[in-house]
Amino acid sequence: MSEQPSPEKILQTGLAFWASKTLLSAIEIDLFTKLADGAKPFDVIRDLVGLHPRSARDFLDALVALGFLERTGDLYSNTIETNLFLDRTKPSYVGGILEMANHRLYPFWGHLTDALRTGQPQNEYRTGDPSLFETLYADPDRLKEFLSAMTGVSRGSNVAIAQRFPWKDYRTFVDVGTAQGDLAVQIAKANPHLQGFGFDLPQVAPFFEEYSTTSGVADRLSFVPGDFFQHDLPKADVVLMGHILHDWDLPTKKMLIAKAFDAVPSGGALVVYEALIDDDRSKNAFGLMMSLNMLIETPRGFDYTGADCSGWMKEAGFSQIRVEHLVGPDSMVIGIK
């Protein structure tokens, strides 16, 4: 007999924001960092992070039930995953993207229905304020959070690219829209023979330089200030664009790919990676929802399939184009000049 229809998935998804906001609030009050040195009793944690007695135990036990904390008797501790990835003192911290989700995306996504009906962004644009990037780059604190968020969302793919791409065949690379510079750092760490460049707006320079220095590869990485709307891309054997193309409309996507073609020599490569939508547009829900996030955050940005990107690369003159899965929802498209 076939199973009876159940509303379970509908209810779980419809109320998924309960679990999401519980985790985001735990990150906001720095709970996992404060537990990184070991288990602590309930009363100590409550006072340490400033929880009201009415909800403190429900909050901590909800995190246990969700799999983000462990409890033995009255002692609460991080899980292996939260201790590694949500302790902000560790280089493996990925909470930057979740901090941005909490402060920025969570309220904006409350207007998704309006975005779907109007086709208009629902961020600062909604109130007539400057655009996303103007807002972020004008405020050092917001910019720092954004750059850290890009590191958090990209780390797994950055490490995969550093290890899997055939770097032995190349000597130089440029990471376009480098943000904090984690992709460049991971490539340099895994490939001591390479010299790399991070290309981004001038405001990013101090964050890139600090990150490359603390990562121990500043001697092989340089920051190149520039605006890819106004300037050519730096020349290098390999051009990389991670989570960049989806911010823009189709003409801009094609313009950036063409600039990459001009920046690399014969035999050089372009590597584009995103949460690529599967070609059938039915499996990578994260990629599809990322495209909805572009609706929320940008005037004309959208995510795309590997086949879409391959076609744009071919149009620009690249050949030997292939799509390779990285980690999670991310894949990369590689084209050779």
Side-chain angles (χ1 to χ4, degrees):
M1 294 177 61
S2 60
E3 293 184 9
Q4 291 295 316
S6 169
E8 182 179 357
K9 185 175 182 180
I10 293 171
L11 294 174
Q12 284 183 347
T13 303
L15 297 174
F17 67 94
W18 288 5
S20 175
K21 195 63 176 74
T22 300
L23 175 61
L24 296 179
S25 290
I27 295 168
E28 183 177 1
I29 64 176
D30 224 11
L31 174 63
F32 304 109
T33 302
K34 289 181 169 64
L35 288 176
D37 59 352
K40 291 180 173 59
F42 169 76
D43 289 343
V44 170
I45 297 171
R46 184 189 64 196
D47 295 340
L48 192 62
V49 297
L51 298 175
H52 191 279
R54 176 184 175 187
S55 55
R57 193 173 291 278
D58 286 347
F59 176 64
L60 295 178
D61 286 345
L63 289 166
V64 171
L66 289 167
F68 300 123
L69 288 180
E70 295 176 348
R71 186 189 66 223
T72 303
D74 199 45
L75 295 175
Y76 293 83
S77 61
N78 287 337
T79 66
I80 293 173
E81 291 79 14
T82 55
N83 203 55
L84 180 62
F85 297 117
L86 292 179
D87 172 9
R88 70 176 68 249
T89 66
K90 292 185 173 71
S92 51
Y93 180 68
V94 300
I97 184 62
L98 299 178
E99 292 175 49
M100 189 175 80
N102 192 35
H103 298 150
R104 212 188 146 72
L105 302 182
Y106 190 85
F108 292 155
W109 267 71
H111 300 287
L112 176 61
T113 305
D114 292 341
L116 294 170
R117 286 176 170 159
T118 65
Q120 298 298 318
Q122 300 299 309
N123 54 11
E124 294 83 2
Y125 182 96
R126 180 182 175 90
T127 54
D129 292 328
S131 70
L132 164 65
F133 293 110
E134 288 178 279
T135 300
L136 291 174
Y137 280 73
D139 182 335
D141 289 335
R142 283 192 180 188
L143 179 58
K144 183 176 182 179
E145 181 182 80
F146 174 71
L147 299 180
S148 176
M150 293 304 97
T151 295
V153 77
S154 304
R155 169 62 58 78
S157 291
N158 294 344
V159 171
I161 291 170
Q163 295 174 347
R164 296 184 201 169
F165 185 79
W167 290 109
K168 62 181 178 55
D169 300 329
Y170 302 98
R171 292 290 176 267
T172 60
F173 69 91
V174 57
D175 178 23
V176 177
T178 192
Q180 202 172 22
D182 188 65
L183 176 57
V185 163
Q186 299 305 326
I187 292 171
K189 278 185 171 182
N191 303 276
H193 70 287
L194 291 174
Q195 291 287 138
F197 306 95
F199 181 78
D200 213 316
L201 295 175
Q203 298 94 315
V204 174
F207 303 101
F208 178 92
E209 290 164 356
E210 178 186 15
Y211 191 71
S212 62
T213 298
T214 57
S215 299
V217 289
D219 59 324
R220 291 187 290 114
L221 294 180
S222 303
F223 184 82
V224 180
D227 181 339
F228 52 52
F229 287 106
Q230 301 180 30
H231 305 118
D232 293 337
L233 302 182
K235 302 289 186 183
D237 295 337
V238 180
V239 171
L240 302 109
M241 296 181 184
H243 300 134
I244 296 297
L245 292 185
H246 71 165
D247 290 328
W248 311 104
D249 61 14
L250 182 56
T252 304
K253 286 174 166 64
K254 290 184 176 182
M255 176 273 289
L256 291 173
I257 291 172
K259 283 195 171 186
F261 186 82
D262 292 339
V264 299
S266 178
L270 169 62
V271 179
V272 169
Y273 85 86
E274 308 264 17
L276 292 178
I277 299 169
D278 57 289
D279 290 346
D280 189 53
R281 296 180 57 84
S282 63
K283 299 178 182 66
N284 190 355
F286 185 92
L288 290 160
M289 289 188 289
M290 180 62 82
S291 200
L292 293 179
N293 193 58
M294 293 302 100
L295 167 66
I296 294 284
E297 285 276 41
T298 70
R300 288 174 293 276
F302 63 92
D303 283 76
Y304 48 89
T305 68
D308 291 332
C309 189
S310 297
W312 304 331
M313 283 189 181
K314 183 177 180 181
E315 184 179 327
F318 288 100
S319 60
Q320 302 177 48
I321 301 165
R322 65 186 188 275
V323 179
E324 294 184 13
H325 178 252
L326 292 168
V327 296
D330 280 353
S331 296
M332 63 178 169
V333 187
I334 301 169
I336 307 298
K337 182 172 178 177

